[in-house]
Amino acid sequence: MKKVNKRCIERELQKALALEFVKEFCKQKGYSLEKLSCQKFEMSYDECAFFHNSDIPQQGLTNDIETLPQIVLLIKLVNGNLLVEETQYTKKYICLD
């Protein structure tokens, strides 16, 4: 029997739920759900986000800031409601064209 990593399965399920939540938002804004699904996904206490890993090669601490992942789309819990927020990187990485 194959050993299953519960955290990996939970993360994939969380990402799938987040993608389903933003599906209509992406459709209305002209964003590619397929491109978004290729982005890295992370979840925190009251928010989750899709990130694009930096294309700049890391050189230790000398370019640490430049190599940080860029937030593409953010989902926040505000007053009991989930809100989707764009960032300056949203159009760059998930626009349909």
Side-chain angles (χ1 to χ4, degrees), residues 9-91:
I9 292 172
E10 286 175 349
R11 181 168 290 152
E12 287 301 313
L13 179 58
Q14 291 165 346
K15 183 176 182 177
L17 290 170
L19 285 167
E20 185 63 32
F21 180 75
V22 299
K23 184 187 287 187
E24 189 60 33
F25 175 85
C26 288
K27 185 177 177 181
Q28 290 174 359
K29 296 283 189 168
Y31 297 142
S32 168
L33 203 59
E34 184 178 336
K35 288 181 182 179
L36 185 62
S37 69
C38 295
Q39 305 301 317
K40 183 178 177 184
F41 178 78
E42 292 295 332
M43 195 164 176
S44 186
Y45 298 103
D46 60 351
E47 62 188 24
C48 58
F50 292 90
F51 294 89
H52 181 80
N53 286 328
S54 176
D55 298 324
I56 301 170
Q58 291 183 336
Q59 298 172 349
L61 294 176
T62 58
N63 69 341
D64 191 41
I65 299 297
E66 293 86 10
T67 61
L68 288 174
Q70 298 158 338
I71 300 173
V72 175
L73 202 62
L74 187 63
I75 303 171
K76 287 184 172 184
L77 180 63
V78 179
N79 298 325
N81 296 312
L82 290 173
L83 303 175
V84 181
E85 288 186 11
E86 298 176 61
T87 70
Q88 67 266 32
Y89 303 108
T90 304
K91 289 180 183 166

